[in-house]
Amino acid sequence: MPLIDSKALLIHALKNKYAVGAFNANNMEVAQAIIEAAELEKSPVIVQISQGAIKYAGIKCISSIVKTLAKESSVPVVCHLDHGVDYSVVVKALKAGFTSLMFDGSSLSFEENVKITKELARMAHAAGIPLEAEIGRVPDSEKGPLTLEEMKKYYTTPEEAKEFFEKTNVDSLAVSVGSAHRMKVQSAELDIDRIYEISSMVNAPLVLHGASGVKDEHVVRAIKAGITKVNFATELNKAFTNSLKEYFSQHPEIVDVRKYGESARKNVVNTVREKIQLLNSNNKADDVLKYISDNKFFESDKNLNEIVE
Ligand SMILES: [Zn+2]
């Protein structure tokens, strides 16, 4: 089926207390694995493409792969831009047919972040596409795990989340509640009370970034508290790369890309299936399709080129 946008999907998840997995696709094999896992679990799925993946694979190439796979798929698929930090990349993704966007202005001042996010939300909505934005900042742990004290400096406050949401009119909000990007070990615990507080003040789907490093039990509790989109990137990179390392150690003579590509792809399918079950989005595909056909959130009759130029 054609790609769906993330608006109705995340509202359905919020109402029904489950979360949708947003999995980063950096190449064809991983994109195939994500959608195959979603089909096996009868789950809706968000395939997300980061600015880094766009730089690596090219925006047309990687988004065309996702679009083609979605078209042949039996479950609803969203093609989402993950961490668009440049205004121009968000516009390019809109033009390239992404059906969900993120602008990450978390490194900017509050005022700058509001200003650019609001403008991009207006543009995206005119084209019938939802926008995610980030308030507070989900830190990066590439240089090693952060202490709780360090993590707290990045936390989203419920007050700033409310003000940001009201001023920008975004569709979903990424919040900093204890997770960090690029964690290779699943050890982070979340500030669950903070998620409840933000949810009580912001009536919108909340997004958990850096979920690869979060303990499973905390992911489940976060969903009860209002998280409805959960991002996994490092877990998929690990599944792909570890499989290759194992394959080469057992078959050092193999040079055929398809042989080891297939083993890595299978490993990613298994990882994505586990995450889908954790988020409880399995067996929700049909309900989502019905909800989407009954609820229209955007009415856009404008030509995309009129909107973005
Ligand atoms: Zn992120």
Side-chain angles (χ1 to χ4, degrees), residues 91-130:
V91 174
K92 267 185 202 151
L94 185 61
K95 283 186 176 175
F98 284 53
T99 54
S100 183
L101 302 167
M102 179 191 186
F103 173 66
D104 174 3
S106 62
S107 62
L108 306 172
S109 68
F110 183 84
E111 290 72 26
E112 259 317 270
N113 192 1
V114 166
K115 196 177 145 213
I116 301 173
T117 303
K118 190 178 167 183
E119 170 57 20
L120 285 169
R122 186 200 60 75
M123 191 189 288
H125 292 166
I129 299 296

Side-chain angles (χ1 to χ4, degrees), residues 11-306:
I11 291 175
H12 184 264
L14 185 62
K15 282 179 189 249
N16 293 282
K17 296 273 175 207
Y18 69 95
V20 184
F23 301 98
N24 282 69
N26 290 322
N27 63 14
M28 178 193 78
E29 286 81 359
V30 173
Q32 287 174 316
I34 295 165
I35 294 176
E36 187 184 333
E39 287 186 317
L40 291 167
E41 294 296 332
K42 299 184 173 57
S43 170
V45 74
I46 298 171
V47 181
Q48 54 185 18
I49 299 167
S50 66
Q51 252 191 242
I54 288 173
K55 203 173 163 208
Y56 172 69
I59 193 164
K60 265 199 183 160
C61 176
I62 190 77
S63 64
S64 301
I65 288 171
V66 176
K67 255 182 256 177
T68 303
L69 294 170
K71 215 171 211 177
E72 293 166 354
S73 162
S74 58
V75 294
V77 179
V78 174
C79 181
H80 175 78
L81 172 70
D82 185 31
H83 291 283
V85 288
D86 298 324
Y87 183 95
S88 64
V89 171
V90 180
V91 174
K92 267 185 202 151
L94 185 61
K95 283 186 176 175
F98 284 53
T99 54
S100 183
L101 302 167
M102 179 191 186
F103 173 66
D104 174 3
S106 62
S107 62
L108 306 172
S109 68
F110 183 84
E111 290 72 26
E112 259 317 270
N113 192 1
V114 166
K115 196 177 145 213
I116 301 173
T117 303
K118 190 178 167 183
E119 170 57 20
L120 285 169
R122 186 200 60 75
M123 191 189 288
H125 292 166
I129 299 296
L131 182 78
E132 173 187 333
E134 182 164 321
I135 188 68
R137 187 169 195 191
V138 181
D140 200 295
S141 71
E142 203 171 21
K143 291 185 188 115
L146 286 93
T147 64
L148 186 59
E149 284 315 305
E150 284 172 319
M151 197 77 96
K152 280 181 179 171
K153 285 186 227 155
Y154 297 98
Y155 275 174
T156 306
T157 69
E159 294 75 21
E160 68 179 347
K162 183 177 191 290
E163 191 186 344
F164 184 81
F165 178 67
E166 285 170 355
K167 285 186 168 163
T168 57
N169 196 26
V170 286
D171 304 279
S172 56
L173 207 54
V175 290
S176 179
V177 290
S179 61
H181 289 113
R182 282 179 247 276
M183 278 180 72
K184 295 195 191 82
V185 183
Q186 236 184 314
S187 59
E189 297 192 344
L190 303 175
D191 186 340
I192 302 292
D193 289 343
R194 184 174 296 270
I195 304 172
Y196 274 109
E197 266 183 74
I198 297 170
S199 303
S200 72
M201 291 169 75
V202 178
N203 188 23
L206 301 179
V207 182
L208 179 67
H209 281 244
S212 295
V214 179
K215 290 180 178 173
D216 282 353
E217 180 213 337
H218 276 251
V219 171
V220 171
R221 288 173 61 198
I223 295 167
K224 280 197 186 117
I227 292 286
T228 53
K229 173 174 175 274
V230 180
N231 292 8
F232 296 100
T234 305
E235 281 286 283
L236 276 61
N237 278 332
K238 269 168 60 186
F240 195 85
T241 308
N242 290 344
S243 168
L244 290 184
K245 285 179 184 168
E246 198 183 315
Y247 191 89
F248 287 130
S249 74
Q250 285 170 11
H251 311 279
E253 77 290 357
I254 296 287
V255 294
D256 187 332
V257 173
R258 295 163 298 184
K259 293 257 164 62
Y260 56 80
E262 187 165 4
S263 100
R265 186 165 55 195
K266 267 189 196 152
N267 211 29
V268 178
V269 171
N270 293 337
T271 301
V272 174
R273 289 188 77 171
E274 281 169 21
K275 297 302 177 192
I276 285 173
Q277 289 167 17
L278 177 72
L279 307 182
N280 197 25
S281 71
N282 45 332
N283 299 316
K284 300 284 196 302
D286 288 347
D287 293 353
V288 165
L289 288 173
K290 182 166 187 332
Y291 185 75
I292 289 172
S293 72
D294 293 346
N295 293 277
K296 291 270 172 284
F297 290 92
F298 297 115
E299 294 298 341
S300 177
D301 51 7
K302 288 189 188 140
N303 179 299
L304 193 57
N305 286 328
E306 283 171 32

